[in-house]
């Protein structure tokens, strides 16, 4: 299920190719090439398998749009009758009417629903923890069971209406709500289940009681899946029975305003949240629902009416003994139906219309069902995801990355635009990629461009020269004016073996340039490569709760590049990145990562290791070198890889053409361990405590990390203006171990990490270091 609203561009699908070609011609590119931003930006992702192509048609009813394909016309007609028949009841109960037309996609079977790409381009998360600007879409499969189909359709509609109520509105309101409002799963799943379910059925009430007793020792905020849905349904049902259905809409509206569901319940019902939870549990545990659901007969109409909430607390009105012709003005009650009919008659008379309409007691006109169609399906393009995040580039330092994802409603086609800029605009990345997921084999196009401007170099940048065999003293400041450019055009094809496993092949053409602006007489250094990339990707991870995953994801990638200029520039690189997230007990998560890479060929490329990626306060590893100078060719900097976190050490502590790194973290989310009632801010709700250890090394050549001639055991002394130059080799253990503790939380919508770590190097423990960084994973 997904949602659609707001930033809707009424482009037809035929225009997507035109827009893509135009932007490709402008030379836009992909930001995350060559793992340049390291592990936090590594993309994995699931797949969908298409066995056949659907030709969609559309019918429109009063308040909905239904999209179906061959043999689905009767299903669509039935869905329209159900949705329109329940529309007034749902909106009246919620006290909210959406301003947009919901688009419902109907599949003839659950198997065919599995082929849908909806949710593939951008994550779907209706608890507000992930911002998704694709609005008003629901997809439902027909199982052959009419009652089950009706219940699921009503539940999906109700869930979407509640989401739109809490997070909808202008783009500003959506962004603000997504940052400040996060509700537990029982809240969203429960209200939709309550609206669609038979809450007076004793079997259903017994199921609620069983679920409550089963989870009596658990905090309801931590519940997931079916238990969260049933318990949430029981909470909303209890509110309706005990306090009246009107209070449901009051709580929902207040939640959007004050941003917490607990405070909304407390303010609306006038009791503390803990007392409310206690009384709710007792209501079901003691079978109080068995008597509270009895109906009372109206003596005047002999029609069943619901028992009024809080009837034991209501005051009985004192009726006066009236004489003929007298009226009790204090207790006089107007007939609401007659008033509505009178107003309707006056309105119709003013418009010259007839008043032959059915008017329910709710005070609404019951609209006559109108269905228009079938019509040709219009596959419009929408803005699905908008993101802005700060990144600390390994070479160009702090900058901002902005990403816009546009796709059609079915997410068969998507365009991703991205821009990374720093305060020095000459340092930038621009991206454009197009994905086509219509058939079994997904394919796409990708253009990348990166610009690096190197001007004044100091101790924060001179580490770039170390892999180029120039160890410049820390106090040195070099003034240069060099431009490095990286351009890459690639096409790719992805074959999914299953929803979780896929193979990707990507041929590409890459060009690199090194231009010396200070010496325009010097010939520019340029190379063009023809290459390919192959990947095997596995990803079965699912979100357990906000910012926490469970499952496994892994990637094996092989890059090979052949230079048109000289075979001496040929190189290849293999990368393995495997991560596993496991729930141990309670809310404690064990997360592990294994990273390995190896570069071969005549011009192998370097991986840098040490410190924390995307760090705000990084410290560069010092050198004792004495050589001063600038390498003639700096283009290898464009291919530097950054392996990930090795905490307890300075940035660029190690480097080599191969690396091996292991990260282990024990994560404890605070919100899952204490009552959310005591957590009044998003800062506390996303707070995590972490214990970690990192083990890693990097080396050159084929002899492995214990080869004495690696970056840790080898140091160049002298050179440059010093006539003495020597290579000193020591005998340290090549593996570095870091360990420590940390915290993570959300500040102004950004996930911020603080780690305090010690480094163990050759049996000696280094002084502890504090790292501040941005990013979600290791």
């Amino acid at each position: 299920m997904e949602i659609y609203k707001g930033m809707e561009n009424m482009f037809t699908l035929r225009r997507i190719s035109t827009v893509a070609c135009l932007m490709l011609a402008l030379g836009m590119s992909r930001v995350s090439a060559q793992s340049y931003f390291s592990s936090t930006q590594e993309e994995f992702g699931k797949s969908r398998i298409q066995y056949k192509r659907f030709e969609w048609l559309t019918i429109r009813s009063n308040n909905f749009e239904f999209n179906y394909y061959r043999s689905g016309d009767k299903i669509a007609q039935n869905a329209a009758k159900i949705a329109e028949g329940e529309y007034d009841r749902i909106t009246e109960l919620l006290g909210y009417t959406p301003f947009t037309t919901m688009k419902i996609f109907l599949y003839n079977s659950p198997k065919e629903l599995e082929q849908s790409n909806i949710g593939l381009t951008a994550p779907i998360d209706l608890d507000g923890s992930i911002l998704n600007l694709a609005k008003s879409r629901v997809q439902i499969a027909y199982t052959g069971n009419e009652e089950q189909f009706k219940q699921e359709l009503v539940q999906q509609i109700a869930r979407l209406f509640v989401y739109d109520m809490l997070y909808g509105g202008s783009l500003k309101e959506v962004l603000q709500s997504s940052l400040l409002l996060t509700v537990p799963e029982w809240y969203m799943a429960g209200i939709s289940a309550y609206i669609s379910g038979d809450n007076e059925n004793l079997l259903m009430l017994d199921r609620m009681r069983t679920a409550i007793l089963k989870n009596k020792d658990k905090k309801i905020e931590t519940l997931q899946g079916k238990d969260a849905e049933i318990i949430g349904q029981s909470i909303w049902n209890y509110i309706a029975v005990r306090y009246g259905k009107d209070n449901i809409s009051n709580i929902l509206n207040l939640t959007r305003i004050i941003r917490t569901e607990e405070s909304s319940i407390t303010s609306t019902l006038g009791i503390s949240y803990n007392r409310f939870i206690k009384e709710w549990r007792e209501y079901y545990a003691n079978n109080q629902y068995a008597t509270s659901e009895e109906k009372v007969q109206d003596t005047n109409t002999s029609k069943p009416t619901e028992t009024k909430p809080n009837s034991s607390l209501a005051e009985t009105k004192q009726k006066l003994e009236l004489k003929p012709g007298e009226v009790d003005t204090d207790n006089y009650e107007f007939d609401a139906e007659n008033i509505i009919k009178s107003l309707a008659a006056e309105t119709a008379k003013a418009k010259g219309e007839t008043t032959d309409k059915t008017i329910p007691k709710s005070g609404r006109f019951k609209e006559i069902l109108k269905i228009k169609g079938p019509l040709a399906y219009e596959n419009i393009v929408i803005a699905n995801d908008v993101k802005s995040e700060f990144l600390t580039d390994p070479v160009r330092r702090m900058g901002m990355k902005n990403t816009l994802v546009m796709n059609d409603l079915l997410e068969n086609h998507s365009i991703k635009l991205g821009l990374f800029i720093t305060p020095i605009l000459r340092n930038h990345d621009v991206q454009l990629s197009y994905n086509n997921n219509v058939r079994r084999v997904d394919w796409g196009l990708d253009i990348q461009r990166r610009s690096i401007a190197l001007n004044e170099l100091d101790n924060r940048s001179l580490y770039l020269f170390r892999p180029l065999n120039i160890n410049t003293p820390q106090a040195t400041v070099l003034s240069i004016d060099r431009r490095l450019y990286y351009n890459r055009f690639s096409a790719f094809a992805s074959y999914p073996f299953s929803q979780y496993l896929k193979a990707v092949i990507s041929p590409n053409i890459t060009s690199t340039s090194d231009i010396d602006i200070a010496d325009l007489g010097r010939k520019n250094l340029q190379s063009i490569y023809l290459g390919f990339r192959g990947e095997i990707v596995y990803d079965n991870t699912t979100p357990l709760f906000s910012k926490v995953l469970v499952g496994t994801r892994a990637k094996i990638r092989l890059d090979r590049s052949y230079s048109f200029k000289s075979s001496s520039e040929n190189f290849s690189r293999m990368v393995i990145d495997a991560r596993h997230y496991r729930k141990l007990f309670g809310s404690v998560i064990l997360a592990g990562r294994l990273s390995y890479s190896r570069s071969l060929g005549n011009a192998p490329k370097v991986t840098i290791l040490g410190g924390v990626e995307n760090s705000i306060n990084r410290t560069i590893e010092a050198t004792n070198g004495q050589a001063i100078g600038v390498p003639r060719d700096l283009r290898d900097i464009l291919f530097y890889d950054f392996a990930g976190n090795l905490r307890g050490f300075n940035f660029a502590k190690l480097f080599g053409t191969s690396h091996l790194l292991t990260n282990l973290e024990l994560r404890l989310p605070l919100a899952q361990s204490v009552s959310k009632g005591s957590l009044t801010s998003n800062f506390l709700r996303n707070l995590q405590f972490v214990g970690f250890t990192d083990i890693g090394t990097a080396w050159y050549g084929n002899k492995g990390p214990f080869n004495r001639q690696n970056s840790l055991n080898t140091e160049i002394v002298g050179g440059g203006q010093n006539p003495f130059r020597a290579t000193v080799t020591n005998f340290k253990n090549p593996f570095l171990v870091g360990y420590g503790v940390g915290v993570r939380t959300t500040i102004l919508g950004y996930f911020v990490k603080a780690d305090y770590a010690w480094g163990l190097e050759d049996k000696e423990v280094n002084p502890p270091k504090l790292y501040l960084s941005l990013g979600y994973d290791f």
Side-chain angles (χ1 to χ4, degrees):
M1 182 189 71
E2 269 196 49
I3 308 180
Y4 150 60
K5 184 186 250 317
M7 302 174 61
E8 184 180 60
N9 299 302
M10 297 300 293
F11 296 130
T12 62
L13 185 57
R14 293 188 297 272
R15 297 179 184 174
I16 292 181
S17 298
T18 303
V19 174
C21 292
L22 176 61
M23 292 182 175
L24 290 172
L26 294 176
M28 295 189 173
S29 66
R30 181 171 178 162
V31 171
S32 57
Q34 298 294 332
S35 300
Y36 194 77
F37 290 117
S38 195
S39 62
T40 57
Q41 298 298 305
E42 190 68 51
E43 295 181 358
F44 295 87
K46 301 178 177 63
S47 302
R48 309 288 170 80
I49 301 178
Q50 284 72 43
Y51 297 101
K52 67 178 183 178
R53 190 170 182 178
F54 302 126
E55 299 294 337
W56 293 92
L57 295 172
T58 300
I59 62 172
R60 294 191 177 99
S61 63
N62 306 47
N63 301 287
F64 300 90
E65 178 183 298
F66 298 88
N67 300 287
Y68 65 96
Y69 51 91
R70 185 176 180 180
S71 302
D73 52 339
K74 292 183 179 179
I75 298 175
Q77 295 281 344
N78 185 36
K81 294 177 182 177
I82 294 172
E84 293 295 346
E86 296 289 330
Y87 182 82
D88 285 344
R89 183 180 71 86
I90 296 173
T91 54
E92 183 180 356
L93 182 61
L94 298 178
Y96 176 78
T97 302
F99 295 100
T100 58
T101 300
M102 180 189 296
K103 302 178 186 298
I104 300 175
F105 291 87
L106 300 169
Y107 289 82
N108 297 345
S109 69
K111 187 70 174 178
E112 293 179 346
L113 174 59
E114 293 177 359
Q115 303 180 48
S116 169
N117 287 318
I118 292 181
L120 191 62
T121 302
I124 300 173
D125 194 341
L126 295 186
D127 68 359
S129 62
I130 299 178
L131 174 61
N132 185 358
L133 296 180
K135 307 298 182 188
S136 286
R137 283 175 292 173
V138 168
Q139 51 181 357
I140 298 176
Y142 182 72
T143 61
N145 186 317
E146 292 287 343
E147 189 62 31
Q148 182 180 353
F149 177 71
K150 176 181 179 180
Q151 182 176 355
E152 183 178 0
L153 178 61
V154 174
Q155 185 171 355
Q156 295 277 38
I157 292 173
R159 186 178 176 90
L160 192 60
F161 280 14
V162 173
Y163 183 88
D164 190 70
M165 182 180 184
L166 296 180
Y167 298 97
S170 66
L171 177 60
K172 178 181 177 181
E173 291 173 327
V174 173
L175 290 168
Q176 185 181 42
S177 296
S178 68
L179 295 178
L180 301 178
L181 174 58
T182 302
V183 294
E185 185 170 337
W186 71 260
Y187 188 95
M188 296 292 290
I191 184 61
S192 55
Y194 168 75
I195 292 174
S196 63
D198 183 2
N199 303 292
E200 297 179 0
N201 188 312
L202 285 178
L203 292 177
M204 185 68 240
L205 292 168
D206 287 340
R207 285 185 63 193
M208 296 178 188
R209 179 175 182 269
T210 301
I212 292 170
L213 295 176
K214 171 187 172 184
N215 296 278
K216 63 181 180 179
D217 297 326
K218 298 180 181 178
K219 296 179 174 61
I220 61 173
E221 295 84 2
T222 65
L223 297 177
Q224 307 289 321
K226 198 64 179 178
D227 283 348
E229 178 182 311
I230 295 176
I231 286 179
Q233 181 180 356
S234 73
I235 292 176
W236 291 109
N237 180 61
Y238 173 72
I239 292 173
V241 173
R242 179 70 174 83
Y243 298 97
K245 291 184 178 181
D246 290 344
N247 279 311
I248 291 178
S249 61
N250 294 338
I251 292 171
L252 291 169
N253 278 292
L254 198 57
T255 300
R256 174 166 185 167
I257 297 172
I258 63 177
R259 313 291 182 187
T260 62
E261 78 286 349
E262 296 183 5
S263 299
S264 301
I265 292 174
T266 297
S267 300
T268 302
L269 305 183
I271 63 172
S272 69
Y273 182 75
N274 290 335
R275 178 184 169 187
F276 168 79
I277 293 298
K278 179 182 177 182
E279 292 179 354
W280 156 72
R281 291 185 187 276
E282 291 176 350
Y283 175 80
Y284 288 96
N286 299 332
N287 286 315
Q288 294 179 25
Y289 56 81
T291 57
S292 64
E293 295 295 322
E294 294 179 356
K295 300 297 179 180
V296 181
Q297 298 296 322
D298 188 310
T299 56
N300 294 326
T301 61
S302 299
K303 293 182 180 180
T305 58
E306 292 185 0
T307 303
K308 294 184 178 180
N310 269 341
S311 58
S312 61
L313 303 178
E315 295 182 0
T316 305
K317 294 182 178 181
Q318 298 297 324
K319 296 292 184 179
L320 299 177
E321 295 182 4
L322 303 175
K323 296 179 181 180
E326 292 183 339
V327 177
D328 184 356
T329 58
D330 292 332
N331 297 289
Y332 186 80
E333 296 181 1
F334 292 92
D335 190 330
E337 186 171 356
N338 289 335
I339 294 174
I340 296 168
K341 286 182 179 180
S342 177
L343 293 173
E346 292 181 7
T347 303
K349 184 178 180 180
K351 295 182 177 180
E353 299 176 352
T354 64
T355 59
D356 186 17
K357 294 183 178 180
T358 303
I359 306 172
K361 289 189 177 182
S362 62
R364 296 188 179 196
F365 289 106
K366 185 175 181 180
E367 294 182 289
I368 298 174
L369 176 62
K370 298 177 182 178
I371 297 179
K372 182 180 179 181
L375 308 170
Y377 173 66
E378 184 179 7
N379 200 9
I380 63 175
V381 174
I382 59 175
N384 193 358
D385 199 15
V386 179
K387 291 181 180 178
S388 293
E389 55 185 326
F390 288 102
L391 291 178
T392 302
D393 182 272
V395 178
R396 297 165 293 182
R397 305 173 194 167
M398 182 66 74
M400 174 167 280
K401 178 184 175 184
N402 301 280
T403 306
L404 169 64
V405 177
M406 298 185 296
N407 55 262
D408 64 312
L409 288 176
L410 290 167
E411 299 188 31
N412 291 331
H413 306 263
S414 66
I415 298 174
K416 182 177 181 180
L417 306 171
L419 174 66
F420 172 79
I421 56 175
T422 70
I424 300 175
L425 296 181
R426 294 187 298 271
N427 287 318
H428 62 266
D429 295 338
V430 194
Q431 79 165 45
L432 173 75
S433 61
Y434 166 73
N435 282 50
N436 184 307
N437 302 319
V438 176
R439 302 185 183 276
R440 173 69 179 260
V441 177
D442 302 331
W443 64 272
L445 301 173
D446 186 35
I447 292 183
Q448 311 171 14
R449 178 176 174 81
R450 170 168 294 126
S451 173
I452 299 177
L454 298 176
N455 298 306
E456 187 175 88
L457 303 181
D458 54 21
N459 63 329
R460 295 175 298 175
S461 307
L462 293 175
Y463 78 91
L464 297 169
F465 295 170
R466 291 178 60 202
L468 305 178
N469 294 322
I470 295 181
N471 288 339
T472 303
Q474 291 295 107
T476 304
V477 176
L478 298 177
S479 294
I480 63 174
D481 197 356
R482 301 278 281 272
R483 301 287 188 275
L484 304 179
Y485 295 105
Y486 174 94
N487 300 285
R488 178 184 176 107
F489 175 80
S490 62
F492 65 88
S494 173
Y495 184 86
F497 298 101
S498 69
Q499 181 181 354
Y500 308 120
L501 180 65
K502 63 183 177 182
V504 183
I505 185 70
S506 175
N508 58 76
I509 296 177
T510 303
S511 70
T512 61
S513 301
D514 181 352
I515 301 174
D516 192 339
I517 305 298
D519 185 5
L520 295 178
R522 190 181 75 119
K523 184 178 180 180
N524 297 335
L525 300 176
Q526 294 182 325
S527 294
I528 298 177
Y529 299 88
L530 177 65
F532 74 88
R533 168 176 292 184
E535 292 182 329
I536 299 292
V537 183
Y538 178 82
D539 188 347
N540 73 345
T541 56
T542 56
L544 184 60
F545 31 80
S546 180
K547 312 296 184 295
V548 176
L549 297 173
V550 291
T552 301
R553 54 184 182 178
K555 175 183 290 188
I556 301 176
R557 181 175 71 241
L558 176 63
D559 286 295
R560 296 190 67 90
S561 296
Y562 301 92
S563 174
F564 286 99
K565 183 178 180 180
S566 170
S567 61
S568 63
E569 296 181 337
N570 295 349
F571 70 93
S572 65
R573 174 181 274 152
M574 184 182 71
V575 177
I576 298 176
D577 191 333
R579 313 178 189 198
H580 182 67
Y581 313 86
R582 183 180 183 85
K583 184 177 180 181
L584 296 182
F585 53 88
S587 58
V588 177
I589 303 295
L590 176 63
R593 174 177 180 252
L594 174 66
S595 176
Y596 169 80
S597 74
R598 184 179 183 184
S599 183
L600 299 173
N602 296 326
K605 305 308 177 185
V606 169
T607 296
I608 292 177
L609 189 61
V612 173
E613 66 174 28
N614 212 20
S615 176
I616 300 172
N617 64 330
R618 74 179 186 184
T619 303
I620 307 297
E621 178 70 7
T623 64
N624 295 322
Q626 300 178 27
I628 298 177
V630 179
R632 181 177 181 276
D633 189 351
L634 297 177
R635 288 176 297 165
D636 269 5
I637 294 175
L638 293 165
F639 296 100
Y640 282 173
D641 196 3
F642 298 86
N645 297 337
L646 182 55
R647 288 159 285 196
F649 301 92
N650 291 329
F651 183 79
K653 174 70 175 179
L654 298 174
F655 55 89
T657 55
S658 300
H659 90 276
L660 180 63
L661 175 66
T662 299
N663 307 108
L664 292 173
E665 291 188 355
L666 203 61
R667 302 171 178 174
L668 176 62
L670 177 64
Q672 308 303 316
S673 304
V674 300
S675 172
K676 286 184 66 180
S678 60
L679 305 179
T680 57
S681 70
N682 220 30
F683 177 90
L684 294 175
R685 290 193 174 204
N686 289 289
L687 187 63
Q688 296 181 27
F689 297 101
V690 175
F692 60 83
T693 183
D694 306 322
I695 305 173
T697 188
W699 67 94
Y700 281 91
N702 300 321
K703 297 182 179 180
F706 288 95
N707 175 22
R708 295 175 182 175
Q709 294 182 346
N710 59 40
S711 62
L712 185 65
N713 290 333
T714 304
E715 186 175 339
I716 298 175
V717 179
Q721 297 178 357
N722 189 336
F724 175 78
R725 177 183 174 91
T727 299
V728 179
T729 302
N730 54 44
F731 304 95
K732 292 182 179 179
N733 186 333
F735 283 93
L736 303 180
V737 179
Y739 57 91
V741 294
V743 293
R744 288 95 173 86
T745 191
T746 300
I747 300 177
L748 298 177
Y750 296 99
F751 199 63
V752 180
K753 302 184 293 186
D755 294 309
Y756 195 70
W758 290 262
L760 178 62
E761 179 180 355
D762 201 31
K763 300 181 181 180
E764 294 185 6
V765 178
N766 298 329
K769 294 181 178 294
L770 175 66
Y771 303 91
L772 300 176
S773 59
L774 302 172
Y776 289 104
D777 215 345
F778 295 94

